[in-house]
Amino acid sequence: MSIAEQTPPDVNASTASPHTMSPRTTELSGAVRDELDAALHDLVDGAARWAAMPLTRRAELLAATHSAMAGQAKRWAIRARDIKGLDASSPLVGEEWISGPYAALAGVGTLAHSVAALAAGTSPLAGIRVGTAPGNRVTIPVLPHTAHEAVLLHGFHAEVWLRPGVTATDAVKKAGLGELNPTVSGGVGLVLGAGNITSIPPLDVLYEIVANNRAVILKLNPIMAGMMSVYLAALEPLVTAKLLRVVQGGAAEGSYLAHNALVDHVHITGSAATHDVVVWGPGADGAARKAAGTPLLNKPITSELGGVAPIIILPSRWTAHDLRYQAEHVATMRLHNGGYNCIAGQIVVLSADWPQKAEFLTELAAALERTPARPAWYPGSDSRMSAAAVCYPNAQRFAAGTRLLVSITGEQDATYLQTTETFSPVLGVIELPGSGQVFLDGAVATVNRDFLGTLGANLIADPSVIRKLGRGFRTAIANLEYGTIAINAWTGLGFLTATASWGAFPGHTIDNVQSGIGVVHNALLIDSPERTVVTGPFRPFPRSVAHGEFALFPKPPWFVTARSAQKTGALLAGFAAKPSWAKLPAIFLSAFRA
């Protein structure tokens, strides 16, 4: 997920192969090896059982997992809150409800529906009206996916763009992935779990099982050690079916598993540096293997690795309310989860010619200052922030020095911020010339060329500007080479959308991995996704309607300044556990108090 989510000292780093043990591997006691081997042998058995399991039974097992997960939702959110050092009364606890049990419940629930549809002989995409995008692309609307979502997230939309040349007929026919050939086993997969967002490990496990027909051994990041009992209870049906084993440990355990002959595939959520340690090995030997193109890992690996996410702001005339709201929006993109997100917005791209540039930056500084304080809970945060401060000694500090705003102007070099995922509360600002299409095209070219990674990009623009640009705007979106693009929304909503694909833009390889290889989530089991495009309202209700946008959504509960986020998050998780029209009024009432 990012710079330290699987850090090499703690990884899953290794110089081992199925035939030779690395020094780290030999650190393991015989008892630990026996325990890991027993888990893997259970999973070999479980993978065979899964391959023989009818789709109807698979759907039932996923539904049972959804029920088990719902029963753990409160305990899940509280444990995550405590791991991150949040006060029990803080509205920021809402983040743990929404990015934890809510996201996981939505994911497993949608997967259960998709598999049930396939069991009934129906494509998960049956009845969906597809669209088109520039470059001979087919688009599949994925949000709203249900009538409940159409009301609950009114004004938000998402579509998955398929790779160029993939037809609508192909999309419907191939939706289902591994479930279309359920008797073909993918063997046993290793998931090296993320250390920052608690829904990531379960969602990665579920995708491996359903989309790839694999039984899974999940090695937790040590930061998430406290989540183990929650995961075991929430995923108990999968554990009982021998489709899942969850283990603790550090580098030695990760190495032993990654290079074990019983493991057929590895998936990692971490940093590119850690990916390279797993694939090529550590230190000078690993660098030499990478240069020679001779990986140490002799099995396939997929990954989600973060990057430097841009926030492109198209200039136009904004009201004072717009300036304040969008400043809070940008602050959310950076500060959600304390700044420890793979998809955190890191650099704001402004027009140097925007007459309101100074006003916006003033509001942004105020938003960074007033956002509720929280501990720097992720290891290495202070040192990464200090490194940025050394590079940019004139950076502004906010919230008692815990947040950094780096405005790069004139001859200052933006390279460090553009090529280093800071994974801490550091936000940069760069300026480019022009307005309208000229500015937009220049911004797209700049972030494609100069920014590290391709996981996600954000774009904020008044709807009148988007309408004025017309086809040029859609073409610019097509030219943005990112796995998730959010227009007047944060790419984090793409992460929360179970039906959306999540991952880097296609094309990375193990020797230039950038933001990773492959996708996860994707609960409609769409084949050949290229990207997800999320669109939201420029203004919250009621100002949205007053300015001509038919969107009834208030300030989003994922905003770091949403005062009612904790209650709203708990209500959303309850809704995901058991959707009901009767639950919507309470959710809206809480959300409107944000």
Side-chain angles (χ1 to χ4, degrees), residues 184 307 388 526:
V184 179
I526 297 169

Side-chain angles (χ1 to χ4, degrees), residues 406-420:
V406 180
S407 295
I408 298 174
T409 56
E411 298 302 314
Q412 284 183 292
D413 187 357
T415 302
Y416 178 83
L417 271 186
Q418 291 174 339
T419 59
T420 305

Side-chain angles (χ1 to χ4, degrees), residues 178-235:
E179 298 302 302
L180 296 177
N181 297 288
T183 61
V184 179
S185 176
V188 175
L190 166 64
V191 169
L192 299 172
N196 63 337
I197 294 291
T198 58
S199 64
I200 293 176
L203 287 171
D204 289 350
V205 164
L206 286 160
Y207 196 70
E208 282 290 276
I209 292 172
V210 178
N212 298 305
N213 279 331
R214 294 188 184 107
V216 175
I217 187 160
L218 166 64
K219 192 196 84 67
L220 297 182
N221 186 301
I223 297 169
M224 289 293 161
M227 289 297 297
M228 184 162 181
S229 63
V230 175
Y231 289 154
L232 288 173
L235 301 170

Side-chain angles (χ1 to χ4, degrees), residues 106-406:
V108 68
T110 308
L111 283 170
H113 284 296
S114 292
V115 176
L118 290 163
T122 303
S123 169
L125 300 183
I128 292 179
R129 181 176 296 179
V130 303
T132 60
N136 191 28
R137 292 175 172 93
V138 167
T139 64
I140 300 173
V142 295
L143 178 72
H145 183 61
T146 66
H148 284 133
E149 282 186 342
V151 176
L152 189 63
L153 291 166
H154 195 274
F156 287 92
H157 304 274
E159 55 188 16
V160 171
W161 291 22
L162 304 182
R163 299 188 189 194
V166 178
T167 67
T169 300
D170 288 340
V172 173
K173 182 179 179 181
K174 294 181 179 180
L177 301 178
E179 298 302 302
L180 296 177
N181 297 288
T183 61
V184 179
S185 176
V188 175
L190 166 64
V191 169
L192 299 172
N196 63 337
I197 294 291
T198 58
S199 64
I200 293 176
L203 287 171
D204 289 350
V205 164
L206 286 160
Y207 196 70
E208 282 290 276
I209 292 172
V210 178
N212 298 305
N213 279 331
R214 294 188 184 107
V216 175
I217 187 160
L218 166 64
K219 192 196 84 67
L220 297 182
N221 186 301
I223 297 169
M224 289 293 161
M227 289 297 297
M228 184 162 181
S229 63
V230 175
Y231 289 154
L232 288 173
L235 301 170
E236 186 276 333
L238 303 179
V239 175
T240 299
K242 293 187 177 181
L243 289 170
L244 173 66
R245 292 292 181 265
V246 184
V247 299
Q248 305 266 20
E253 288 81 359
S255 170
Y256 184 77
L257 291 169
H259 297 276
N260 194 292
L262 294 178
V263 171
D264 300 286
H265 180 274
V266 178
H267 178 80
I268 180 172
T269 295
S271 69
T274 301
H275 167 275
D276 283 357
V277 168
V278 173
V279 173
W280 308 101
D285 288 346
R289 289 190 194 94
K290 187 174 182 179
T294 54
L296 189 64
L297 190 72
N298 68 345
K299 61 196 67 175
I301 182 169
T302 52
S303 50
E304 193 264 81
L305 307 174
V308 174
I311 307 166
I312 301 170
I313 297 181
L314 269 64
S316 64
R317 182 65 191 174
W318 291 5
T319 68
H321 288 298
D322 296 338
L323 290 165
R324 181 183 175 96
Y325 176 79
Q326 293 300 347
E328 291 186 2
H329 199 179
V330 171
T332 293
M333 296 179 194
R334 175 69 269 183
L335 298 180
H336 182 277
N337 198 35
Y340 314 118
N341 285 331
C342 58
I343 200 61
Q346 182 162 309
I347 299 180
V348 182
V349 183
L350 293 178
S351 167
D353 303 318
W354 186 22
Q356 291 182 289
K357 177 183 65 179
E359 294 176 71
F360 175 75
L361 290 174
T362 297
E363 286 290 355
L364 180 57
L368 293 173
E369 179 66 36
R370 70 173 175 268
T371 295
R374 64 180 301 161
W377 66 272
Y378 204 92
S381 175
D382 290 342
S383 63
R384 291 189 296 276
M385 197 168 98
S386 295
V390 169
C391 288
Y392 303 102
N394 295 326
Q396 296 174 272
R397 290 183 177 270
F398 299 97
T402 61
R403 296 160 189 164
L404 212 61
L405 180 63
V406 180

